[in-house]
């Protein structure tokens, strides 16, 4: 597992620079967010139905990242993102309240509900804690090194070097995205 300090040190080895640590941490936050925009890692949340139509979902769920909802044997389509017919089961999700609403409400108490969604970056890095690690899976932490090196090379107007490092990390991220897409279908 790489820490921010290790990533910063390795990126400095690749691209010696005078960029402040605080600025590098800001870039690492952007890299952490960008990672999850490219690599869609599936997660599952399970819940048990009650006599209600609304359920509270974990805080790391975003409406745009939900791709599958099922309760018992019934699948629900997104009211916000899919074309639905009048008699189909639908769901809506409120990002602010973290409330999942199922229409119609589940037909029975005690059923297992499943929400499949894509993981997001949940950590905001601070320059006061360089022992933090990226939210990405550990085997992909190394990709943050060429990503940061790309940002650093751009500060020195070395577009060729920046493009080289960008190609490295984006290639790894695209391969990881393909792997996770295969795992979730």
């Amino acid at each position: 597992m790489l820490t921010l300090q290790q990533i910063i040190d390795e990126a400095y080895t690749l691209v010696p620079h005078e960029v402040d640590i605080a600025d590098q941490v800001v870039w690492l936050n952007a890299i952490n967010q960008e990672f999850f925009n490219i690599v869609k890692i599936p997660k599952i949340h399970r819940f048990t139905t009650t006599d209600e139509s609304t359920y509270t979902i974990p805080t790391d769920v975003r409406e745009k990242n939900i791709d599958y909802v099922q309760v018992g044997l019934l699948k629900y389509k997104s009211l916000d993102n899919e074309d639905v017919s009048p008699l189909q089961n639908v769901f809506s999700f409120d990002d602010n309240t973290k409330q999942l609403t199922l229409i119609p409400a589940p037909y029975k108490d005690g059923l297992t509900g499943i929400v499949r969604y894509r993981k997001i970056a949940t950590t905001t890095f601070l320059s006061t804690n360089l022992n933090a690690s990226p939210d990405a899976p550990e085997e992909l932490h190394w990709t943050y090194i060429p990503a940061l090196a790309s940002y650093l090379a751009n500060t020195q107007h070395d577009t060729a070097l920046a493009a080289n490092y960008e190609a490295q990390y984006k290639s790894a991220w695209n391969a990881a995205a393909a792997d996770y897409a295969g795992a979730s279908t």
Side-chain angles (χ1 to χ4, degrees):
M1 172 174 18
L2 290 176
T3 65
L4 296 184
Q5 185 65 63
Q6 291 169 318
I7 293 167
I8 289 168
D9 291 347
E10 290 295 322
Y12 181 84
T13 301
L14 296 174
V15 181
H17 60 85
E18 298 297 323
V19 177
D20 187 59
I21 294 284
D23 291 334
Q24 293 179 68
V25 171
V26 169
W27 293 337
L28 284 166
N29 276 309
I31 291 165
N32 201 40
Q33 295 291 326
E34 181 185 6
F35 175 87
F36 290 101
N37 287 334
I38 294 172
V39 182
K40 308 291 187 182
I41 301 172
K43 288 184 76 175
I44 302 290
H45 171 70
R46 289 180 173 78
F47 61 96
T48 303
T49 60
T50 60
D51 61 353
E52 299 181 20
S53 63
T54 303
Y55 298 87
T56 301
I57 303 298
T59 58
D60 66 335
V61 177
R62 300 289 183 270
E63 186 270 331
K64 70 177 186 171
N65 291 343
I66 296 174
D67 70 345
Y68 185 82
V69 175
Q70 181 173 335
V71 175
L73 299 173
L74 301 177
K75 294 178 183 171
Y76 286 75
K77 288 186 141 192
S78 171
L79 190 57
D80 300 317
N81 298 321
E82 297 178 77
D83 291 330
V84 294
S85 301
L87 296 177
Q88 288 183 309
N89 297 327
V90 296
F91 74 89
S92 65
F93 183 73
D94 186 322
D95 276 333
N96 296 319
T97 63
K98 303 301 177 192
Q99 297 289 308
L100 175 73
T101 303
L102 303 172
I103 304 166
Y107 59 90
K108 183 178 173 185
D109 289 355
L111 295 172
T112 299
I114 297 172
V115 176
R116 184 176 65 195
Y117 60 100
R118 304 297 184 223
K119 183 177 177 175
I120 61 170
T122 56
T123 304
T124 300
F125 303 131
L126 303 172
S127 58
T128 56
N129 181 12
L130 298 180
N131 290 322
S133 291
D135 290 329
E138 191 173 332
E139 68 270 13
L140 293 168
H141 284 184
W142 71 269
T143 62
Y144 284 55
I145 297 167
L148 182 58
S150 176
Y151 277 74
L152 293 166
N154 273 321
T155 67
Q156 298 177 359
H157 305 289
D158 190 338
T159 56
L161 188 60
N164 177 41
Y165 288 130
E166 182 177 0
Q168 285 180 24
Y169 79 85
K170 286 202 172 172
S171 173
W173 288 1
N174 288 331
D179 287 347
Y180 281 109
S184 66
T185 57

